[in-house]
Amino acid sequence: MRTCFLVFLLMLPAHVLALRCGVHLVREGDHYIEVLKKCGEPTLQERWLEEQLVSRRIHPVLPKHYRHVNTEGVVVQLWTYNFGRQKFMQQLRFENGFLERIEKLDYGF
């Protein structure tokens, strides 16, 4: 049973679905204000505008019939938390204010 669990953990992607900040849990889908309240200010914060292709469904029933309509501006924020030398740094990617991805980095400093 333990071996199966360990194999499962090794198969997980490099990013994780949740981050623990003290007693609080931050999950993908959370708004940046919630993350700021739970984890405090990040060590590093970057922000830029990214153009993403938006596609719309052109057939009401057939799900694979899409047409690319235009591009849409998305505000991207990348926050990095450094929790010290004994813990991994965490990088959080927000798109239009909502947490899209949490990625574990190297050990902090």
Side-chain angles (χ1 to χ4, degrees):
M1 184 72 167
R2 272 189 174 170
T3 305
C4 291
F5 182 71
L6 291 174
V7 169
F8 172 75
L9 288 177
L10 292 173
M11 291 172 41
L12 289 175
H15 72 281
V16 293
L17 300 177
L19 167 66
R20 184 168 299 281
C21 289
V23 297
H24 302 288
L25 196 60
V26 172
R27 293 188 176 105
E28 292 178 357
D30 286 352
H31 194 267
Y32 78 93
I33 295 294
E34 295 173 59
V35 176
L36 195 56
K37 284 194 313 191
K38 293 176 181 178
C39 298
E41 289 287 333
T43 306
L44 177 65
Q45 188 174 0
E46 302 170 66
R47 182 184 174 132
W48 67 89
L49 184 63
E50 201 171 90
E51 294 292 319
Q52 292 184 356
L53 194 59
V54 177
S55 56
R56 305 258 191 260
R57 195 163 73 169
I58 59 173
H59 194 280
V61 178
L62 300 173
K64 293 186 179 180
H65 286 74
Y66 284 89
R67 173 183 59 174
H68 296 296
V69 176
N70 59 0
T71 58
E72 185 176 274
V74 175
V75 177
V76 177
Q77 295 181 66
L78 202 60
W79 291 9
T80 304
Y81 283 95
N82 181 357
F83 296 115
R85 302 182 87 179
Q86 302 296 320
K87 296 184 179 179
F88 290 107
M89 293 187 294
Q90 303 287 330
Q91 191 172 69
L92 285 62
R93 180 185 170 100
F94 296 88
E95 292 183 7
N96 288 336
F98 292 93
L99 184 54
E100 286 293 318
R101 186 175 67 229
I102 302 170
E103 188 173 346
K104 187 185 304 185
L105 303 176
D106 280 337
Y107 282 102
F109 49 89

